[in-house]
Amino acid sequence: MRRDGRLAPIIAVFVLHILQSHMTRPYVPLFAASLDVGYLGVGIAAAALGFLPMLFALPVGNYADRWGPKPLILVGTGLNVVAFLLLWALPTLAVIIASQLMAGFANMLLNLSTQTYVGGLGRGRIAERNFSTFTMFSSIGQIGGPLLGGAIVSVFGFGAVFLTAAGLSMLSMIAALVLLPKLPRSVEARPAQASMARRAREYLKMRETQFLILTSCLMGIPEILRTSFLPLYLGTVAQLDPALVGYVLAIFSVAGFVAKSTLPRLVGRFGRQITLFVFTVGCALAIMAIPLSASLWVVAVITACMGLTFGLGRPLSMAMAADASRPSELGFVVALRLSGNRVTDFLLPMAFGAAASIGGIGVVFLTGGALMLLGAIAVIQPLPDDGKERG
């Protein structure tokens, strides 16, 4: 019961963040496309989200271990307010890129701080249950965000959705100030005074850390496609209006919600690696099937399959970060995981944008699926302990 009570405030803050994030991220590429910037311009704008987190995740993780997550949450929500107000006031490609730089850094601050908090509440199966609960509640924002964003864009235009997101970010900041309690001591403990580079090398030598970073990077592929190139495909190839785009993207999140509810039972029966391998392959095949049809119903079914597989992979990689770290260095290990993920977030959108400029947007999905199939080979390699027996 106590665990649930400590989870509730951070869930409330994060759900508000996820709601504004998912009501804007799918529509920023469509907004950029409306300015005639081309697929490469869209890819550059999407890549901007991962640039600053790729550089600063480790120092921020070190800060979280020393001083706790609440200041990071307040800074992150404040940056979101500024980023969305810029998008609303100055609709140019340069401003889109600048706002995405800020929004990406803010998203990293909020993801790192909330995951550090949740990871400090337990290890092993407890961590899996906590992160499953945490990500299930975040699905509320993932489901509602595209629906709300699509409805606002259809009726009032892109500017209105950015202004609404700024208001939700302000509400998230107020919720953090009022609701967020003191962090448990096990996470607040000051880490040993070793250099970040040396500590990073120590963790990167561990097979468990390598595995969680690989898993996080793999799960970044469907996330990039879902928030950047799938909306473009739905809007330009399938010719759906923004409201229908929102419905299809919400199906992804509904399927992810269903998957997260089954996570503890599946891992308990099959172990982490088998579960990840099967669903990584399934996600890859679903991604590669997207360009086969522009039918609304076919794309909706394929998107649901992507959501089911993605919904299992993301909370598992979060739980593995909790298990791979020392209690006083959880924020640092979460930052390592996010650093690997943000390298993917930075490089792949530009590569996908270039591929789409040359071969069409369908090539993006074939390439993304092929990368996930290659990653599945590494996922199935033996680990010292796959987490099946953790308690």
Side-chain angles (χ1 to χ4, degrees):
M1 184 65 64
R2 185 184 175 195
R3 183 189 67 217
D4 292 340
R6 290 183 293 173
L7 272 175
I10 201 68
I11 286 173
V13 170
F14 196 65
V15 165
L16 287 169
H17 165 66
I18 289 294
L19 181 63
Q20 59 81 12
S21 177
H22 284 264
M23 70 183 290
T24 54
R25 285 187 68 179
Y27 297 102
V28 169
L30 288 173
F31 178 54
S34 73
L35 302 178
D36 295 322
V37 301
Y39 286 135
L40 184 58
V42 171
I44 292 171
L49 284 166
F51 181 66
L52 292 178
M54 179 179 66
L55 299 178
F56 295 108
L58 289 181
V60 171
N62 197 47
Y63 180 94
D65 284 326
R66 290 172 180 264
W67 306 110
K70 192 167 182 176
L72 301 181
I73 292 173
L74 297 176
V75 172
T77 50
L79 280 174
N80 272 331
V81 172
V82 176
F84 293 127
L85 287 177
L86 278 175
L87 278 175
W88 169 70
L90 301 167
T92 66
L93 179 60
V95 170
I96 290 174
I97 292 172
S99 72
Q100 295 304 279
L101 285 169
M102 285 188 284
F105 189 65
N107 189 61
M108 182 266 290
L109 292 176
L110 286 153
N111 274 292
L112 191 150
S113 55
T114 53
Q115 289 173 37
T116 300
Y117 182 95
V118 176
L121 301 181
R123 301 286 172 118
R125 292 284 179 80
I126 294 174
E128 286 165 7
R129 285 193 295 268
N130 284 344
F131 277 113
S132 181
T133 301
F134 176 72
T135 53
M136 274 198 296
F137 275 97
S138 71
S139 294
I140 296 171
Q142 293 169 358
I143 295 167
L147 295 174
L148 182 59
I152 293 173
V153 170
S154 293
V155 177
F156 301 106
F158 289 109
V161 81
F162 300 140
L163 192 59
T164 304
L168 286 172
S169 297
M170 182 65 70
L171 189 59
S172 182
M173 180 188 295
I174 295 170
L177 281 169
V178 174
L179 299 177
L180 203 61
K182 187 176 177 64
L183 204 63
R185 287 295 304 171
S186 62
V187 184
E188 283 188 322
R190 189 180 182 91
Q193 295 298 310
S195 72
M196 285 190 295
R198 190 174 74 192
R199 290 159 62 207
R201 285 194 298 269
E202 290 174 359
Y203 277 111
L204 289 174
K205 289 177 182 177
M206 297 168 55
R207 174 75 173 116
E208 292 88 345
T209 309
Q210 297 168 9
F211 186 76
L212 77 89
I213 292 174
L214 169 65
T215 303
S216 182
C217 289
L218 286 176
M219 290 302 106
I221 294 173
E223 176 74 354
I224 291 166
L225 295 176
R226 186 263 297 260
T227 57
S228 299
F229 292 93
L230 182 56
L232 273 181
Y233 180 83
L234 295 173
T236 60
V237 178
Q239 295 290 306
L240 302 183
D241 65 37
L244 283 176
V245 170
Y247 280 113
V248 174
L249 296 177
I251 288 171
F252 181 104
S253 300
V254 170
F257 181 86
V258 172
K260 290 163 189 173
S261 67
T262 68
L263 177 61
R265 187 163 61 252
L266 286 173
V267 173
R269 182 169 182 179
F270 300 109
R272 288 175 177 173
Q273 281 188 278
I274 296 299
T275 302
L276 278 170
F277 174 77
V278 171
F279 286 97
T280 299
V281 172
C283 191
L285 296 177
I287 289 170
M288 296 175 80
I290 287 175
L292 298 180
S293 175
S295 164
L296 170 62
W297 298 108
V298 173
V299 173
V301 170
I302 293 171
T303 301
C305 294
M306 286 175 60
L308 281 170
T309 52
F310 178 78
L312 285 165
R314 182 53 60 86
L316 267 181
S317 68
M318 293 177 183
M320 285 187 287
D323 286 355
S325 68
R326 291 182 282 270
S328 64
E329 295 187 328
L330 176 56
F332 188 78
V333 175
V334 170
L336 272 178
R337 170 188 168 273
L338 290 176
S339 293
N341 191 222
R342 294 309 180 256
V343 171
T344 305
D345 290 348
F346 177 64
L347 296 178
L348 281 187
M350 289 192 292
F352 287 159
S357 297
I358 296 170
I361 196 167
V363 174
V364 170
F365 300 100
L366 297 176
T367 304
L371 288 173
M372 289 203 75
L373 286 176
L374 288 173
I377 298 172
V379 163
I380 203 62
Q381 299 302 309
L383 274 176
D385 175 13
D386 74 351
K388 189 174 180 178
E389 289 80 24
R390 286 186 177 99

